[in-house]
Each structure stands twice: as C-alpha cells, then as structure tokens.
Amino acid sequence: MKLVVVSAGLSVPSSTRLLADRLAAAVGRQAEVELEVVELRDLAVEIAHNFTSGFPGRKLAAALAAVTGADGLIAVTPVFTASYSGLFKSFFDVLDKDALAGKPVLIAATGGTARHSLVLEHALRPMFTYLRAVVVPTGVYAASEDWGAEGLEGRVERAAGELAALMRGLSAAAPVRDDLDVVPFAERLAALRSAG
C-alpha cells in the first residue's frame, strides 16, 4: 500500500516534519506501506505559478500524482493565525477536486500553544470532509510542550492504527453478524404499546 505524507513545515528542522515522520513510522509499524513524503516548502513557487498559469510544474505535478495515487494520506500543517498555513491550503486548492474522494486521511498540526488544538476540528476536518476524504477519528495536534511529554505517542499510535485499518479496508465498527434475528421496527413498537 502506498502512504503519502504531505508536510507543510517551513523551517529545517521542522516540528511539523518531525510529527509527520512519527505518524508515518507508526503507520509503518501497523501496516506494510511504501512511503513517499511531499515537502510543500520545496513546491511553494510551483504552487503559486499553478494559480497564475493553470498548469503545474514538473515537481508539483509529481506531488499531485503521488497524493492522487496514494492508498492513504497523512496531512500535517503548522498553525498560523489559528488555522492551517496558506501553503498547506494552496496545495489542496490546486489538487483535483475528486482526488481525495474516499481516500483515508490522517490530519495533524503543530503549534506553539495548546490553545490552537481545535484547528483540527474547525479547519482541517471540514476541509478534508469537503474534499470527500475519509478522515480518521483521531487527529493529532502537537504543541511545543507536547514534545517529550506523556500523551503524544499514544495519540500518534491511535491515529496511525485508525489510518492503517482504513488503508487495509477494515472498518473500526464491529463486524456484521448474520446469526441475529432481525425484528421489524413496527413489531417492536407494537410490543411496547401492548406492554404499556
């Protein structure tokens, strides 16, 4: 299975890339994956040119093809002004609108303070839902104080397990049982009325 990581970190080294690498490694421990990392920092100029020309450059076209062809995606952004970075959003703006339909996606973000952790729920999850991706239930946010602290690794492992399961085509729901008798709702309702 092909796993693609999209990292929108701007610095080198980047806490965004560090979180992306930890998430990818955790998925790799739970499923056999072929990994490709897309560093958006290296594509910034081509992303801007794509907006003005309507055509992706060679490196951007390869990145878009990688994301489109992935069996699963990890998308990690730094938080700027209480939301995802403009570079992160711009990349997904130039991606074909149907490229993520039905694709499992793990969302993650990094920031200087835990106060921005809701970016996962108010910005990233709605964007990927709009793109019709299947977003795993557990998003991972890492504030500066989370590095080396208790709790981050547990969230990383849980989210990675959810993504690995979706990539394998497994459902987190209980398996369907065919040995149960199904009683029509009308019958149940009638039984309740007669008992009362």
Side-chain angles (χ1 to χ4, degrees):
M1 293 181 293
K2 184 174 182 185
L3 173 64
V4 174
V5 175
V6 175
S7 174
L10 298 178
S11 59
V12 178
S14 159
S15 62
T16 302
R17 176 61 190 267
L18 178 61
L19 181 57
D21 289 344
R22 285 191 182 187
L23 289 163
V27 173
R29 287 190 293 273
Q30 299 184 44
E32 190 172 321
V33 294
E34 172 192 331
L35 178 65
E36 184 171 346
V37 177
V38 174
E39 281 280 4
L40 297 185
R41 178 185 66 246
D42 301 335
L43 301 172
V45 172
E46 287 194 26
I47 291 170
H49 285 169
N50 190 91
F51 278 112
T52 58
S53 71
F55 299 100
R58 184 180 50 82
K59 289 180 185 175
L60 178 58
L64 295 171
V67 168
T68 301
D71 296 303
L73 181 68
I74 296 173
V76 190
T77 181
V79 174
F80 295 131
T81 320
S83 192
Y84 39 64
S85 74
L87 181 59
F88 183 83
K89 178 68 163 69
S90 295
F91 176 76
F92 288 100
D93 282 345
V94 300
L95 188 66
D96 182 83
K97 66 178 180 62
D98 296 321
L100 299 182
K103 192 175 303 295
V105 177
L106 190 166
I107 56 173
T110 58
T113 174
R115 291 190 308 261
H116 294 300
S117 62
L118 286 177
V119 71
L120 296 171
E121 302 306 323
H122 78 73
L124 277 93
R125 192 174 301 277
M127 182 184 84
F128 285 105
T129 299
Y130 174 80
L131 294 170
R132 295 180 289 133
V134 179
V135 184
V136 302
T138 303
V140 180
Y141 180 83
S144 298
E145 64 266 17
D146 287 326
W147 297 102
E150 212 172 296
L152 179 60
E153 284 309 311
R155 294 193 313 272
V156 165
E157 290 297 326
R158 184 173 58 244
E162 292 167 357
L163 180 62
L166 284 173
M167 288 176 67
R168 286 190 305 263
L170 300 177
S171 170
V176 176
R177 294 182 54 186
D178 57 5
D179 62 335
L180 299 176
D181 291 327
V182 177
V183 178
F185 180 73
E187 258 182 64
R188 287 273 188 204
L189 190 57
L192 286 173
R193 285 186 181 146
S194 66

